[in-house]
Coordinates of all heavy atoms in Angstrom, one line a residue:
M354 N -61.4 116.3 45.4 CA -62.6 115.6 45.7 C -62.8 114.7 44.3 O -63.1 115.3 43.2 CB -63.6 116.6 45.8 CG -65.0 116.0 46.2 SD -66.1 117.3 46.8 CE -67.6 116.2 47.0
P355 N -63.1 113.5 44.5 CA -63.2 112.6 43.4 C -64.7 112.7 42.8 O -65.6 113.1 43.5 CB -63.1 111.1 44.0 CG -62.4 111.3 45.4 CD -62.8 112.6 45.9
D356 N -64.7 112.4 41.6 CA -66.0 112.5 40.8 C -67.0 111.5 41.3 O -66.6 110.4 41.7 CB -65.7 112.3 39.4 CG -66.9 112.2 38.4 OD1 -68.0 112.9 38.9 OD2 -66.9 111.6 37.4
G357 N -68.2 111.9 41.6 CA -69.3 111.0 42.0 C -69.3 110.8 43.5 O -70.0 109.8 44.0
E358 N -68.7 111.7 44.2 CA -68.7 111.7 45.7 C -69.2 112.8 46.3 O -69.3 114.0 45.7 CB -67.2 111.4 46.2 CG -66.7 110.0 45.8 CD -65.5 109.6 46.8 OE1 -65.2 110.3 47.6 OE2 -65.0 108.5 46.4
M359 N -69.6 112.7 47.6 CA -70.1 113.8 48.4 C -69.4 113.8 49.8 O -69.1 112.8 50.3 CB -71.7 113.9 48.5 CG -72.2 112.8 49.4 SD -74.0 113.0 49.6 CE -74.3 111.6 50.5
I360 N -69.4 115.0 50.3 CA -68.8 115.1 51.8 C -69.6 116.2 52.4 O -70.3 117.0 51.9 CB -67.3 115.6 51.7 CG1 -67.1 116.9 51.0 CG2 -66.5 114.5 51.1 CD1 -65.7 117.4 51.0
G361 N -69.7 116.1 53.8 CA -70.1 117.1 54.6 C -69.1 118.1 55.0 O -68.0 117.7 55.4
V362 N -69.4 119.3 55.0 CA -68.4 120.4 55.3 C -69.1 121.3 56.4 O -70.2 121.8 56.2 CB -68.0 121.2 54.1 CG1 -67.0 122.3 54.4 CG2 -67.5 120.2 53.0
D363 N -68.3 121.7 57.5 CA -68.8 122.8 58.3 C -68.2 124.2 57.9 O -67.0 124.3 57.8 CB -68.4 122.4 59.7 CG -69.1 121.1 60.2 OD1 -70.0 120.8 59.6 OD2 -68.7 120.7 61.3
A364 N -69.2 125.1 57.7 CA -68.7 126.5 57.4 C -69.3 127.3 58.4 O -70.4 127.8 58.3 CB -69.2 126.9 56.0
G365 N -68.6 127.5 59.6 CA -69.2 128.2 60.7 C -70.3 127.4 61.2 O -70.3 126.3 61.5
Q366 N -71.5 128.2 61.3 CA -72.7 127.5 61.9 C -73.4 126.7 60.8 O -74.3 125.9 61.1 CB -73.6 128.6 62.4 CG -73.1 129.4 63.5 CD -72.9 128.6 64.8 OE1 -73.6 127.7 65.1 NE2 -71.8 128.9 65.5
V367 N -73.1 126.9 59.5 CA -73.8 126.2 58.4 C -73.1 124.9 58.0 O -71.9 124.9 57.9 CB -73.9 127.2 57.2 CG1 -74.7 126.5 56.1 CG2 -74.5 128.4 57.6
K368 N -73.9 123.9 58.0 CA -73.3 122.5 57.6 C -73.8 122.4 56.1 O -74.9 122.5 55.7 CB -73.9 121.5 58.4 CG -73.5 121.6 59.9 CD -73.9 120.5 60.8 CE -73.4 120.8 62.3 NZ -72.3 121.5 62.4
I369 N -72.8 122.1 55.3 CA -73.0 122.0 53.8 C -72.8 120.6 53.3 O -71.7 120.0 53.7 CB -72.1 123.0 53.1 CG1 -72.5 124.4 53.5 CG2 -72.1 122.8 51.6 CD1 -71.5 125.5 53.1
C370 N -73.6 120.0 52.4 CA -73.3 118.9 51.7 C -72.8 119.3 50.3 O -73.5 119.9 49.6 CB -74.7 118.1 51.5 SG -74.6 116.6 50.5
L371 N -71.6 118.9 50.1 CA -70.9 119.3 48.9 C -70.7 118.0 48.0 O -70.2 117.0 48.5 CB -69.5 119.8 49.2 CG -68.7 120.4 48.0 CD1 -69.3 121.5 47.2 CD2 -67.3 120.8 48.5
A372 N -71.1 118.0 46.7 CA -71.0 116.9 45.8 C -70.3 117.3 44.6 O -70.4 118.5 44.1 CB -72.4 116.4 45.6
R373 N -69.7 116.3 44.0 CA -69.1 116.6 42.6 C -69.6 115.5 41.7 O -69.6 114.3 41.9 CB -67.6 116.4 42.7 CG -66.9 116.6 41.4 CD -65.4 116.4 41.5 NE -64.9 116.4 40.1 CZ -63.6 116.0 39.8 NH1 -62.8 115.8 40.7 NH2 -63.1 116.1 38.6
V374 N -70.0 116.0 40.5 CA -70.4 115.1 39.4 C -69.7 115.6 38.1 O -69.9 116.8 37.7 CB -71.9 115.1 39.1 CG1 -72.2 114.3 37.9 CG2 -72.7 114.7 40.4
E375 N -68.7 114.8 37.6 CA -67.8 115.2 36.5 C -67.1 116.5 37.0 O -66.5 116.5 38.0 CB -68.6 115.3 35.2 CG -69.1 114.0 34.8 CD -70.0 114.0 33.5 OE1 -70.2 115.1 33.1 OE2 -70.3 112.9 33.1
D376 N -67.1 117.5 36.2 CA -66.4 118.7 36.6 C -67.3 119.8 37.3 O -66.8 120.9 37.5 CB -65.8 119.4 35.4 CG -64.6 118.5 34.9 OD1 -64.0 117.8 35.6 OD2 -64.3 118.7 33.7
K377 N -68.5 119.4 37.7 CA -69.4 120.4 38.3 C -69.5 120.0 39.8 O -69.7 118.8 40.2 CB -70.7 120.4 37.6 CG -71.6 121.4 38.0 CD -72.7 121.8 36.9 CE -73.6 122.8 37.3 NZ -73.1 124.0 37.7
Y378 N -69.6 121.0 40.7 CA -69.8 120.9 42.0 C -71.2 121.4 42.4 O -71.7 122.4 41.8 CB -68.8 121.7 42.8 CG -67.4 121.1 42.7 CD1 -66.5 121.4 41.6 CD2 -66.9 120.2 43.6 CE1 -65.3 120.9 41.5 CE2 -65.7 119.6 43.6 CZ -64.9 120.0 42.5 OH -63.6 119.4 42.3
Y379 N -71.9 120.8 43.5 CA -73.2 121.2 44.0 C -73.1 121.2 45.4 O -72.3 120.5 46.1 CB -74.1 120.1 43.6 CG -74.3 119.9 42.1 CD1 -73.4 118.9 41.5 CD2 -75.2 120.6 41.3 CE1 -73.6 118.8 40.0 CE2 -75.3 120.4 39.9 CZ -74.5 119.5 39.3 OH -74.5 119.2 38.0
A380 N -73.8 122.2 46.0 CA -73.8 122.4 47.4 C -75.3 122.7 47.9 O -76.0 123.4 47.2 CB -73.0 123.5 47.8
M381 N -75.6 122.1 49.0 CA -76.9 122.3 49.6 C -76.8 122.2 51.1 O -75.8 121.6 51.6 CB -78.0 121.3 49.2 CG -77.9 119.9 49.5 SD -79.3 119.0 48.7 CE -78.9 117.4 49.2
N382 N -77.8 122.7 51.9 CA -77.7 122.6 53.3 C -77.7 121.2 53.7 O -78.5 120.4 53.1 CB -78.9 123.3 53.9 CG -78.6 123.5 55.5 OD1 -78.6 122.5 56.2 ND2 -78.6 124.8 55.8
D383 N -76.8 120.8 54.6 CA -76.6 119.3 54.9 C -77.6 118.9 56.0 O -77.6 117.7 56.2 CB -75.2 119.2 55.5 CG -74.7 117.8 55.4 OD1 -75.2 116.9 54.6 OD2 -73.7 117.4 56.0
M384 N -78.5 119.8 56.5 CA -79.4 119.3 57.5 C -80.7 119.0 56.9 O -81.4 119.9 56.2 CB -79.5 120.3 58.6 CG -78.2 120.6 59.3 SD -77.3 119.2 60.0 CE -78.4 118.7 61.2
C385 N -81.2 117.8 57.0 CA -82.5 117.4 56.5 C -83.6 118.2 56.9 O -83.6 118.6 58.2 CB -82.8 115.9 56.8 SG -84.3 115.3 56.1
S386 N -84.5 118.7 56.1 CA -85.6 119.5 56.5 C -86.6 118.7 57.3 O -87.5 119.3 57.9 CB -86.2 120.1 55.3 OG -86.8 119.1 54.4
H387 N -86.6 117.4 57.4 CA -87.5 116.6 58.2 C -87.2 116.6 59.7 O -88.0 116.6 60.5 CB -87.8 115.3 57.5 CG -88.7 114.4 58.3 ND1 -88.3 113.1 58.7 CD2 -90.0 114.6 58.7 CE1 -89.4 112.6 59.4 NE2 -90.3 113.4 59.3
F388 N -85.9 116.3 59.9 CA -85.4 116.1 61.2 C -83.9 116.4 61.1 O -83.3 116.4 60.1 CB -85.6 114.7 61.6 CG -85.5 114.4 63.1 CD1 -86.6 114.9 64.0 CD2 -84.6 113.7 63.7 CE1 -86.5 114.8 65.4 CE2 -84.5 113.5 65.0 CZ -85.5 114.0 65.9
A389 N -83.4 116.7 62.3 CA -82.0 117.1 62.4 C -80.9 116.0 62.1 O -80.4 115.5 63.1 CB -81.7 117.9 63.7
T390 N -80.8 115.6 60.9 CA -79.7 114.6 60.6 C -78.9 115.2 59.3 O -79.5 115.8 58.5 CB -80.2 113.3 60.4 OG1 -79.2 112.3 60.4 CG2 -81.0 113.2 59.1
R391 N -77.7 114.7 59.1 CA -76.9 115.2 58.1 C -77.1 114.3 56.9 O -77.0 113.1 56.9 CB -75.4 115.2 58.5 CG -75.1 116.2 59.5 CD -73.6 116.4 59.7 NE -73.1 117.3 58.6 CZ -72.0 118.1 58.8 NH1 -71.4 118.1 59.9 NH2 -71.7 118.9 57.8
L392 N -77.5 115.1 55.8 CA -77.7 114.3 54.6 C -76.5 113.7 53.9 O -76.6 112.7 53.3 CB -78.3 115.4 53.5 CG -79.7 115.9 53.9 CD1 -80.1 117.1 52.9 CD2 -80.8 114.8 53.8
S393 N -75.3 114.3 54.2 CA -74.1 113.7 53.8 C -73.7 112.4 54.3 O -72.9 111.7 53.8 CB -72.9 114.6 53.9 OG -72.7 114.9 55.4
G394 N -74.5 111.9 55.3 CA -74.3 110.6 55.8 C -75.2 109.6 55.1 O -75.1 108.4 55.4
G395 N -75.9 110.0 54.1 CA -76.8 109.1 53.4 C -76.2 108.7 52.0 O -75.0 108.8 51.9
E396 N -77.0 108.2 51.1 CA -76.5 107.7 49.8 C -76.5 108.8 48.8 O -77.4 109.7 48.8 CB -77.5 106.6 49.3 CG -77.3 105.3 50.1 CD -76.0 104.6 49.9 OE1 -75.5 104.7 48.7 OE2 -75.4 104.1 50.9
F397 N -75.6 108.8 47.9 CA -75.5 109.8 46.8 C -75.8 109.2 45.5 O -75.2 108.0 45.3 CB -74.2 110.5 46.8 CG -73.9 111.5 45.8 CD1 -74.9 112.4 45.3 CD2 -72.7 111.7 45.2 CE1 -74.7 113.2 44.3 CE2 -72.4 112.6 44.2 CZ -73.4 113.4 43.8
Y398 N -76.7 109.7 44.7 CA -77.0 109.2 43.4 C -76.6 110.2 42.3 O -77.5 111.0 41.9 CB -78.6 108.9 43.4 CG -79.0 107.8 44.3 CD1 -79.4 108.2 45.6 CD2 -79.0 106.5 44.0 CE1 -79.8 107.2 46.5 CE2 -79.3 105.5 44.8 CZ -79.8 105.9 46.1 OH -80.2 104.9 47.1
P399 N -75.4 110.1 41.9 CA -74.9 111.1 40.9 C -75.6 111.1 39.6 O -75.8 112.3 39.1 CB -73.4 110.6 40.7 CG -73.1 109.6 41.7 CD -74.3 109.1 42.2
D400 N -76.2 110.1 39.1 CA -76.8 110.0 37.9 C -78.2 110.9 38.0 O -78.6 111.4 37.0 CB -77.2 108.6 37.4 CG -75.9 108.0 37.0 OD1 -74.8 108.6 36.8 OD2 -76.0 106.7 36.8
D401 N -78.8 110.9 39.1 CA -80.1 111.6 39.4 C -79.8 113.0 40.1 O -80.8 113.7 40.2 CB -81.0 110.8 40.3 CG -81.3 109.5 39.7 OD1 -81.4 109.4 38.5 OD2 -81.5 108.4 40.4
L402 N -78.5 113.3 40.4 CA -78.2 114.5 41.2 C -79.1 114.6 42.5 O -79.6 115.6 42.8 CB -78.4 115.7 40.4 CG -77.4 115.8 39.2 CD1 -77.6 117.1 38.3 CD2 -76.0 115.9 39.6
E403 N -79.1 113.4 43.2 CA -80.0 113.4 44.4 C -79.2 112.8 45.6 O -78.3 112.0 45.3 CB -81.3 112.6 44.2 CG -82.2 113.3 43.2 CD -83.6 112.6 43.1 OE1 -83.7 111.4 43.5 OE2 -84.5 113.1 42.5
V404 N -79.6 113.2 46.7 CA -79.0 112.7 47.9 C -80.1 112.1 48.8 O -81.2 112.8 49.0 CB -78.3 113.8 48.8 CG1 -77.7 113.3 50.1 CG2 -77.1 114.4 47.9
E405 N -79.9 110.9 49.3 CA -80.9 110.2 50.2 C -80.6 110.3 51.6 O -79.5 110.1 52.0 CB -81.0 108.8 49.7 CG -82.1 108.0 50.5 CD -82.2 106.6 49.9 OE1 -81.4 105.7 50.5 OE2 -83.0 106.3 49.1
C406 N -81.6 110.9 52.4 CA -81.4 111.1 53.8 C -81.2 109.7 54.4 O -81.9 108.7 54.2 CB -82.6 111.7 54.4 SG -82.5 111.8 56.2
P407 N -80.2 109.6 55.4 CA -79.9 108.3 56.0 C -80.9 107.8 56.9 O -81.0 106.6 57.3 CB -78.6 108.5 56.7 CG -78.5 109.9 57.0 CD -79.2 110.7 55.8
L408 N -81.9 108.8 57.5 CA -82.8 108.4 58.5 C -84.1 107.8 58.0 O -84.5 106.7 58.4 CB -83.0 109.6 59.4 CG -83.2 109.3 60.9 CD1 -82.1 108.5 61.4 CD2 -83.3 110.7 61.6
H409 N -84.7 108.6 57.1 CA -86.1 108.1 56.5 C -86.1 108.1 55.0 O -87.2 108.0 54.4 CB -87.2 109.0 57.1 CG -87.2 109.1 58.6 ND1 -87.0 110.3 59.2 CD2 -87.3 108.2 59.5 CE1 -87.0 110.2 60.6 NE2 -87.2 108.8 60.7
D410 N -85.0 108.2 54.4 CA -84.9 107.9 52.9 C -85.5 108.9 52.0 O -85.7 108.7 50.9 CB -85.5 106.6 52.6 CG -84.7 105.4 53.3 OD1 -83.7 105.6 53.7 OD2 -85.3 104.4 53.5
S411 N -85.9 110.1 52.4 CA -86.3 111.2 51.4 C -85.1 111.5 50.6 O -83.9 111.5 51.1 CB -86.7 112.5 52.3 OG -88.0 112.3 52.8
R412 N -85.4 111.8 49.3 CA -84.3 112.1 48.4 C -84.4 113.5 48.0 O -85.5 114.0 47.4 CB -84.4 111.1 47.2 CG -83.8 109.8 47.5 CD -84.0 108.8 46.4 NE -83.2 109.1 45.2 CZ -82.8 108.2 44.3 NH1 -83.1 106.9 44.5 NH2 -82.1 108.5 43.3
F413 N -83.2 114.3 48.0 CA -83.3 115.7 47.8 C -82.5 116.0 46.6 O -81.4 115.4 46.3 CB -82.6 116.5 48.9 CG -83.4 116.4 50.3 CD1 -83.4 115.4 51.1 CD2 -84.3 117.5 50.6 CE1 -84.1 115.4 52.3 CE2 -85.0 117.6 51.7 CZ -85.0 116.5 52.6
S414 N -83.0 116.8 45.8 CA -82.3 117.2 44.5 C -81.3 118.2 44.8 O -81.4 119.3 45.5 CB -83.4 117.9 43.6 OG -82.6 118.6 42.5
L415 N -80.1 118.0 44.2 CA -78.9 119.0 44.5 C -79.2 120.3 43.6 O -78.5 121.2 43.7 CB -77.7 118.3 44.0 CG -77.1 117.3 45.0 CD1 -76.0 116.5 44.3 CD2 -76.5 118.0 46.2
L416 N -80.1 120.2 42.6 CA -80.3 121.3 41.7 C -81.2 122.4 42.4 O -80.9 123.6 42.3 CB -81.1 120.9 40.5 CG -80.4 120.0 39.6 CD1 -81.2 119.4 38.4 CD2 -79.1 120.6 39.1
D417 N -82.2 122.0 43.3 CA -83.0 123.0 43.9 C -83.3 122.7 45.4 O -84.2 123.5 46.0 CB -84.3 123.2 43.1 CG -85.2 122.0 42.9 OD1 -84.9 121.0 43.6 OD2 -86.1 122.1 42.1
G418 N -82.9 121.6 45.9 CA -83.2 121.2 47.3 C -84.5 120.6 47.5 O -84.8 120.4 48.7
T419 N -85.2 120.3 46.5 CA -86.5 119.8 46.7 C -86.5 118.3 47.1 O -85.7 117.6 46.4 CB -87.4 119.8 45.3 OG1 -87.4 121.2 44.9 CG2 -88.8 119.4 45.5
P420 N -87.3 117.9 48.1 CA -87.5 116.5 48.4 C -88.4 115.8 47.5 O -89.4 116.3 47.1 CB -88.0 116.5 49.8 CG -88.8 117.7 50.0 CD -88.1 118.8 49.0
H421 N -87.9 114.6 46.9 CA -88.7 113.9 45.9 C -89.4 112.7 46.6 O -90.1 111.8 45.9 CB -87.8 113.5 44.8 CG -87.5 114.6 43.9 ND1 -86.4 114.6 43.1 CD2 -87.9 115.9 43.9 CE1 -86.2 115.8 42.5 NE2 -87.2 116.6 42.9
E422 N -89.1 112.4 47.9 CA -89.8 111.3 48.5 C -90.2 111.8 49.9 O -89.5 112.5 50.6 CB -88.8 110.1 48.7 CG -88.2 109.6 47.5 CD -89.2 108.7 46.7 OE1 -90.2 108.2 47.2 OE2 -89.0 108.6 45.4
V423 N -91.3 111.4 50.4 CA -91.7 111.6 51.8 C -90.8 110.8 52.7 O -90.3 109.7 52.3 CB -93.2 111.3 52.0 CG1 -94.0 112.2 51.2 CG2 -93.6 109.9 51.7
P424 N -90.7 111.2 54.1 CA -91.6 112.2 54.8 C -91.2 113.6 54.7 O -92.0 114.5 55.0 CB -91.4 111.7 56.2 CG -90.1 111.0 56.2 CD -89.9 110.5 54.9
A425 N -90.0 114.0 54.2 CA -89.6 115.3 54.1 C -90.6 116.1 53.1 O -90.8 115.5 52.0 CB -88.2 115.5 53.7
D426 N -91.0 117.3 53.5 CA -91.9 118.0 52.4 C -91.5 119.4 52.3 O -92.2 120.2 51.6 CB -93.4 117.8 52.9 CG -93.7 118.4 54.2 OD1 -92.7 118.8 54.9 OD2 -94.8 118.3 54.7
E427 N -90.3 119.8 52.9 CA -89.8 121.2 52.8 C -88.4 121.0 52.1 O -87.6 120.1 52.4 CB -89.6 121.8 54.0 CG -90.9 122.1 54.8 CD -91.7 123.3 54.2 OE1 -91.2 124.1 53.6 OE2 -92.9 123.2 54.2
P428 N -88.0 122.0 51.2 CA -86.8 121.9 50.5 C -85.7 122.4 51.5 O -85.9 123.0 52.5 CB -86.8 123.0 49.4 CG -88.0 123.8 49.8 CD -88.9 123.1 50.7
V429 N -84.5 122.0 51.1 CA -83.3 122.6 51.9 C -82.6 123.7 50.9 O -82.8 123.6 49.7 CB -82.3 121.5 52.2 CG1 -82.8 120.5 53.2 CG2 -81.8 120.8 51.0
E430 N -81.8 124.5 51.5 CA -81.2 125.6 50.7 C -80.2 125.0 49.8 O -79.5 124.1 50.3 CB -80.6 126.6 51.6 CG -81.5 127.7 52.1 CD -80.6 128.8 52.8 OE1 -79.7 128.4 53.5 OE2 -81.0 129.9 52.7
V431 N -80.0 125.5 48.6 CA -78.9 125.2 47.8 C -78.1 126.4 47.6 O -78.6 127.5 47.7 CB -79.4 124.7 46.4 CG1 -80.1 123.4 46.5 CG2 -80.3 125.6 45.6
Y432 N -76.8 126.3 47.3 CA -75.8 127.3 47.3 C -75.1 127.4 45.9 O -74.8 126.3 45.4 CB -74.8 127.2 48.4 CG -75.5 127.0 49.8 CD1 -75.5 125.8 50.4 CD2 -76.0 128.1 50.4 CE1 -76.1 125.6 51.7 CE2 -76.7 128.0 51.7 CZ -76.7 126.7 52.3 OH -77.2 126.6 53.5
A433 N -74.8 128.6 45.5 CA -73.9 128.7 44.3 C -72.5 128.1 44.7 O -72.0 128.2 45.8 CB -73.8 130.2 44.0
V434 N -71.9 127.6 43.7 CA -70.5 127.0 43.9 C -69.6 127.5 42.8 O -70.1 127.3 41.6 CB -70.5 125.5 43.9 CG1 -69.1 124.9 44.2 CG2 -71.5 125.0 45.0
R435 N -68.4 127.9 43.0 CA -67.5 128.2 42.0 C -66.1 127.7 42.4 O -65.8 127.6 43.7 CB -67.4 129.6 41.6 CG -67.0 130.6 42.6 CD -67.0 132.0 42.2 NE -66.7 132.9 43.4 CZ -65.6 133.3 43.9 NH1 -64.5 132.8 43.2 NH2 -65.5 134.1 44.9
V436 N -65.3 127.3 41.4 CA -63.9 126.9 41.7 C -62.9 128.1 41.4 O -63.0 128.7 40.4 CB -63.5 125.7 40.8 CG1 -62.1 125.2 41.1 CG2 -64.5 124.4 41.1
D437 N -62.1 128.4 42.4 CA -61.2 129.5 42.4 C -59.8 129.0 42.6 O -59.4 128.7 43.8 CB -61.6 130.6 43.4 CG -60.7 131.9 43.1 OD1 -59.9 131.9 42.3 OD2 -60.9 132.8 44.0
G438 N -59.1 128.6 41.5 CA -57.8 127.9 41.7 C -58.0 126.6 42.4 O -58.6 125.7 41.9
D439 N -57.3 126.4 43.6 CA -57.4 125.2 44.3 C -58.5 125.2 45.3 O -58.8 124.2 46.0 CB -56.1 124.9 45.1 CG -54.9 124.6 44.1 OD1 -55.2 124.1 43.0 OD2 -53.8 124.7 44.5
E440 N -59.3 126.2 45.3 CA -60.4 126.3 46.4 C -61.7 126.2 45.7 O -62.0 126.7 44.6 CB -60.3 127.7 47.1 CG -59.0 128.0 47.9 CD -59.1 129.2 48.6 OE1 -59.9 130.1 48.3 OE2 -58.2 129.3 49.5
I441 N -62.7 125.6 46.5 CA -64.1 125.5 46.1 C -64.8 126.5 47.0 O -64.8 126.4 48.2 CB -64.6 124.1 46.4 CG1 -63.8 123.1 45.5 CG2 -66.1 124.0 46.0 CD1 -64.1 121.6 45.9
V442 N -65.4 127.5 46.3 CA -66.1 128.6 47.1 C -67.6 128.4 47.0 O -68.2 128.3 46.0 CB -65.7 130.0 46.5 CG1 -66.3 131.1 47.3 CG2 -64.2 130.1 46.5
V443 N -68.2 128.3 48.2 CA -69.7 128.0 48.4 C -70.4 129.2 48.8 O -70.0 129.8 49.8 CB -69.9 126.8 49.3 CG1 -71.4 126.5 49.4 CG2 -69.2 125.6 48.7
G444 N -71.6 129.5 48.3 CA -72.4 130.6 48.8 C -72.5 131.8 47.7 O -71.6 131.9 46.9
P445 N -73.4 132.6 47.9 CA -74.5 132.6 48.8 C -75.7 131.5 48.4 O -75.5 130.9 47.4 CB -75.1 134.0 48.8 CG -74.8 134.5 47.3 CD -73.5 133.7 47.0
A446 N -76.8 131.6 49.1 CA -78.0 130.7 48.8 C -78.5 131.2 47.5 O -78.5 132.4 47.1 CB -78.9 130.8 49.9
E447 N -78.9 130.2 46.6 CA -79.5 130.5 45.3 C -80.9 131.2 45.5 O -81.5 131.0 46.5 CB -79.6 129.2 44.5 CG -78.3 128.5 44.3 CD -77.7 128.8 42.9 OE1 -78.4 128.5 41.9 OE2 -76.6 129.2 42.9
E448 N -81.3 132.0 44.6 CA -82.5 132.7 44.5 C -83.7 131.6 44.7 O -83.6 130.5 44.1 CB -82.8 133.5 43.3 CG -81.9 134.7 43.2 CD -82.4 135.7 44.2 OE1 -83.6 135.9 44.3 OE2 -81.5 136.4 44.9
G449 N -84.7 132.1 45.4 CA -85.9 131.3 45.5 C -85.8 130.2 46.6 O -86.7 129.3 46.7
Q450 N -84.7 130.1 47.3 CA -84.5 129.1 48.3 C -84.8 129.7 49.7 O -84.8 130.8 50.0 CB -83.1 128.6 48.4 CG -82.8 128.0 47.2 CD -83.7 126.8 46.9 OE1 -83.8 125.8 47.7 NE2 -84.3 126.7 45.7
Ligands
LIG1683 S1 -84.7 112.8 58.9 FE1 -84.4 113.0 56.7 S2 -86.2 112.2 55.9 FE2 -86.5 112.1 58.1

């Protein structure tokens, strides 16, 4: 997965937005909290660690899932990520989400 990119991943029933910035990976729930659309279809801002929803442009922090622009006003879950050899392991949800 190239630096500065994000992808949508299906893990069973859970849809995950997975992003890489330099050597660190971030994961959050891929479904916007405002309406059912995938955040990974939007814009990624690696310098701000934010993802912009493609439908109404709310921007979500990859650090804690908080939306920084309306109309979304509820956070999405973020998940712990670790690299295990050639695999990227996601989950469980971080505390406080
Ligand atoms: S669907 Fe994401 S901000 Fe509205």
